């Protein structure tokens, strides 16, 4: 059970992040879920309350340095040390490499990699003082190998998370902080739908997934909860 734990889940408005927030809450954690808009934060507060989970939604664009620092300071005051960080927020900006704009590259690296560094750094001190902590990153099979054409930025960002994980796991182990990364294959979420065609999804499931189906968001929630 995660009763005395304070969990911060980035990108909890929908998809995988929402499922993770709900599962950590079911296991007893107080859950803070982030959204890029006030409407999203209110929706998170709503579904947490409906499930009788302690916590709330907050506005946090993980690419915004000042907002990140301010949000972490506010949360520390209100809830105490964050002892579970789930770096879930992620985006795609797919394009063939020769057409990929710097803006696409920067957006993906900032959201999927740089923010993981910044948030991990931001919660580390509190975890060290508490002598306990769990950092769980949501990467992708694209963080292990190349998955599909047009996703150089995404593949590089997720491979970066693998390196960050390796480094931090060693650096923080003595403080009783574990760092793990979950690498899902296909999960049917709005991100997956916006990045692929129905034909591609059908082909992927048939040819690459032994179970013949996408992973369910709840299954990712359970895996993250185990690691936490
Ligand atoms: P969705 O598009 O369904 O949800 C993305 C979430 O990230 C939303 O809550 C969104 O918030 C948030 N987000 C996006 N940009 C920012 C930002 N700048 N700051 C803060 N939050 C932000 O994505 P998924 O649930 O599919 O993906 C979640 C994670 O899982 C990602 O890291 C993705 O790479 C990974 N993944 C997904 C797979 C899949 O098949 N779906 C497979 C493998 C990995 P808002 O609603 O406010 O925009």
């Amino acid at each position: 059970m995660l009763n005395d734990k304070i969990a911060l889940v980035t990108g909890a408005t929908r998809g995988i992040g929402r499922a993770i927030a709900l599962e950590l809450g079911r296991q007893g954690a107080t859950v803070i879920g982030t959204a890029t808009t006030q409407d999203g934060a209110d929706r998170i507060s709503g579904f947490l309350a409906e499930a009788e989970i302690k916590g709330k939604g907050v506005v946090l664009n993980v690419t915004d340095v000042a907002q990140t620092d301010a949000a972490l300071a506010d949360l520390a005051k209100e809830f105490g040390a964050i002892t579970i960080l789930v770096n879930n927020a992620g985006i795609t900006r797919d394009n063939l490499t020769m057409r990929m704009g710097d803006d696409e590259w920067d957006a993906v690296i900032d959201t999927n990699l740089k923010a993981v560094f910044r948030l991990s750094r931001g919660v580390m001190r509190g975890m060290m003082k508490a002598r306990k902590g769990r950092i769980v990153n949501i990467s992708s099979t694209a963080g292990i190998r190349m998955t599909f054409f047009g996703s150089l930025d995404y593949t590089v960002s997720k491979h970066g998370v693998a390196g960050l994980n390796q480094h931090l796991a060693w650096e923080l182990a003595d403080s009783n902080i574990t760092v793990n990364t979950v690498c899902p294959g296909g999960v049917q979420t709005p991100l997956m739908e916006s990045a692929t065609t129905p034909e591609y999804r059908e082909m992927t499931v048939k040819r690459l997934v032994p179970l013949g189906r996408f992973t369910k968001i709840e299954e990712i929630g359970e895996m993250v909860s185990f690691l936490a």
Side-chain angles (χ1 to χ4, degrees):
M1 293 299 283
L2 302 171
N3 284 324
D4 57 341
K5 305 292 195 309
I6 310 295
L8 175 62
V9 182
T10 65
T13 54
R14 57 176 189 260
I16 294 170
R18 183 179 193 273
I20 293 169
L22 283 169
E23 186 55 31
L24 293 176
R26 264 185 223 114
Q27 297 301 324
T30 298
V31 179
I32 300 123
T34 80
T36 55
T37 61
Q38 188 58 51
D39 176 59
D42 292 344
R43 276 188 282 123
I44 294 169
S45 296
F47 73 67
L48 290 176
E50 201 177 309
E52 298 181 4
I53 292 167
K54 284 176 281 167
K56 65 177 189 179
V58 295
V59 178
L60 173 58
N61 178 341
V62 295
T63 66
D64 185 326
V65 181
Q67 202 178 45
T68 302
D69 291 345
L72 289 177
D74 289 349
L75 292 173
K77 263 188 223 144
E78 187 174 350
F79 293 98
I82 286 157
T83 44
I84 301 170
L85 168 66
V86 183
N87 286 307
N88 166 75
I91 59 166
T92 55
R93 292 286 182 274
D94 289 351
N95 214 337
L96 288 177
T97 305
M98 69 179 182
R99 292 199 194 126
M100 187 169 283
D102 281 18
D103 54 337
E104 292 168 323
W105 172 272
D106 288 346
V108 171
I109 300 294
D110 279 358
T111 310
N112 297 6
L113 178 57
K114 205 165 170 188
V116 174
F117 151 67
R118 198 180 294 122
L119 279 155
S120 302
R121 182 184 60 185
V123 300
M124 225 173 254
R125 193 183 300 272
M127 287 182 176
M128 282 172 166
K129 275 194 191 151
R131 298 285 309 163
K132 62 181 172 190
R134 299 284 179 260
I135 297 176
V136 184
N137 305 309
I138 306 302
S139 177
S140 162
T141 44
I144 307 169
R145 54 187 159 81
M146 184 275 191
T147 46
F148 50 92
F149 285 94
S151 64
L152 175 76
D153 46 7
Y154 187 78
T155 300
V156 170
S157 72
K158 296 298 191 181
H159 273 70
V161 170
L164 178 142
N165 194 122
Q166 277 299 312
H167 186 100
L168 281 188
W170 284 100
E171 190 175 316
L172 300 177
D174 283 349
S175 302
N176 190 29
I177 301 167
T178 62
V179 186
N180 286 284
T181 294
V182 176
C183 296
V187 188
Q188 192 87 38
T189 67
L191 179 141
M192 165 64 89
E193 274 167 30
S194 68
T196 59
T197 60
E199 295 74 30
Y200 176 85
R201 294 197 288 273
E202 199 185 321
M203 182 272 292
T204 309
V205 166
K206 271 199 192 132
R207 291 178 49 188
L208 298 177
V209 190
L211 279 180
R213 65 166 176 79
F214 281 117
T215 307
K216 296 177 189 159
I217 52 173
E218 292 78 10
E219 291 170 325
I220 313 277
E222 285 164 11
M223 174 54 72
V224 171
S225 176
F226 167 75
L227 292 169

